[in-house]
Amino acid sequence: GAVVSQHPSWVICKSGTSVKIECRSLDFQATTMFWYRQFPKQSLMLMATSNEGSKATYEQGVEKDKFLINHASLTLSTLTVTSAHPEDSSFYICSARRGQAGNQPQHFGDGTRLSIL
Amino acid sequence: DAKTTQPPSMDCAEGRAANLPCNHSTISGNEYVYWYRQIHSQGPQYIIHGLKNNETNEMASLIITEDRKSSTLILPHATLRDTAVYYCIVIRSGNQFYFGTGTSLTVIP
């Protein structure tokens, strides 16, 4: 149980393009979803926290107009990288969690590798 | 949330127990200890979590010291597929996960 699906797994696009990444919780309802990015040989960096039906909360230094997050249902959150540039190339990972309790694990998708040419 | 300290790397012989330590000396009474691992180019995989008591599941055991200032993740019989970066995270109810640098475990044949 507790499967999180992320799509696409890999995308290459031209500079200036907007890219949408989907994150779905397949077998549970996720009240909260999270978006991370990871550069090569570095740890995961939290970008934003998204609660169903409300605006996302962004971490300091993350541009909310650049990284648009929508969490329209309890099973789907999307991250749109707007007007992507080469420096946005990274590994983007989502996670989902049931409820708010500290004893609820986050479950992660397998990530999306984004390459901007 | 409490910060964690882990050794950057460890080796373990295949078939032996892998003991991965984590220091969280500033942990509060309502903060949980979570362990995840990340195999190259994949998303992190949940392993186990605990609050005060030791925990065991099909993947691993989690030993938390009585003062809760440190913990150890035990993989009882390491295999080559256990080679990964292991993250120890301390989290309060409702709060986000902040990943540290983790321990890179290499299981040696």
Side-chain angles (χ1 to χ4, degrees), chain A residues 34 36 38 42-44 46 49 57 59 91 93 97 100-111 113, chain B residues 30 32 34 36 38 40-46 49 87 89 91-102:
Chain A
F34 305 86
Y36 299 80
Q38 185 176 32
Q42 293 187 22
S43 188
L44 283 77
L46 179 66
T49 302
T57 301
E59 294 296 302
F91 191 48
I93 309 169
R97 183 181 70 194
Q100 297 290 322
N103 63 351
Q104 291 290 336
Q106 287 186 27
H107 299 281
F108 288 80
D110 273 338
R113 193 160 301 280
Chain B
N30 59 349
Y32 287 79
Y34 277 80
Y36 283 77
Q38 186 178 27
H40 182 63
S41 296
Q42 296 182 21
Q45 178 188 22
Y46 166 75
H49 74 279
Y87 295 99
I89 304 166
I91 182 170
R92 194 174 305 158
S93 175
N95 281 6
Q96 301 89 335
F97 283 12
Y98 293 98
F99 284 77
T101 52

Side-chain angles (χ1 to χ4, degrees), chain A residues 27-85:
Chain A
D27 54 357
F28 68 99
Q29 292 188 325
T31 53
T32 309
M33 288 184 168
F34 305 86
W35 288 95
Y36 299 80
R37 67 188 297 182
Q38 185 176 32
F39 292 107
K41 298 187 178 182
Q42 293 187 22
S43 188
L44 283 77
M45 183 184 73
L46 179 66
M47 299 176 66
T49 302
S50 155
N51 292 297
E52 186 265 338
S54 62
K55 290 184 178 180
T57 301
Y58 290 81
E59 294 296 302
Q60 190 171 10
V62 177
E63 301 175 59
K64 60 181 180 182
D65 295 330
K66 175 75 170 175
F67 300 99
L68 301 179
I69 292 172
N70 183 279
H71 190 167
S73 78
L74 285 171
T75 59
L76 173 65
S77 177
T78 60
L79 168 68
T80 301
V81 184
T82 61
S83 186
H85 293 286

Side-chain angles (χ1 to χ4, degrees), chain B:
Chain B
D1 293 324
K3 292 186 178 179
T4 61
T5 304
Q6 298 177 255
S9 63
M10 292 180 64
D11 292 339
C12 177
E14 187 178 16
R16 304 296 294 266
N19 296 282
L20 293 92
C22 180
N23 183 287
H24 31 79
S25 58
T26 59
I27 192 170
S28 299
N30 59 349
E31 292 181 321
Y32 287 79
V33 180
Y34 277 80
W35 283 85
Y36 283 77
R37 71 181 182 185
Q38 186 178 27
I39 296 169
H40 182 63
S41 296
Q42 296 182 21
Q45 178 188 22
Y46 166 75
I47 302 173
I48 199 167
H49 74 279
L51 182 62
K52 296 179 181 178
N53 300 323
N54 297 336
E55 302 288 344
T56 295
N57 62 21
E58 64 278 4
M59 288 183 68
S61 294
L62 173 61
I63 308 298
I64 302 174
T65 57
E66 194 169 339
D67 63 8
R68 303 186 67 241
K69 293 184 177 182
S70 65
S71 61
T72 301
L73 178 74
I74 301 172
L75 307 178
H77 306 286
T79 70
L80 299 179
R81 288 181 295 180
D82 292 323
T83 293
V85 178
Y86 287 77
Y87 295 99
C88 167
I89 304 166
V90 171
I91 182 170
R92 194 174 305 158
S93 175
N95 281 6
Q96 301 89 335
F97 283 12
Y98 293 98
F99 284 77
T101 52
T103 295
S104 178
L105 175 69
T106 301
V107 179
I108 303 169

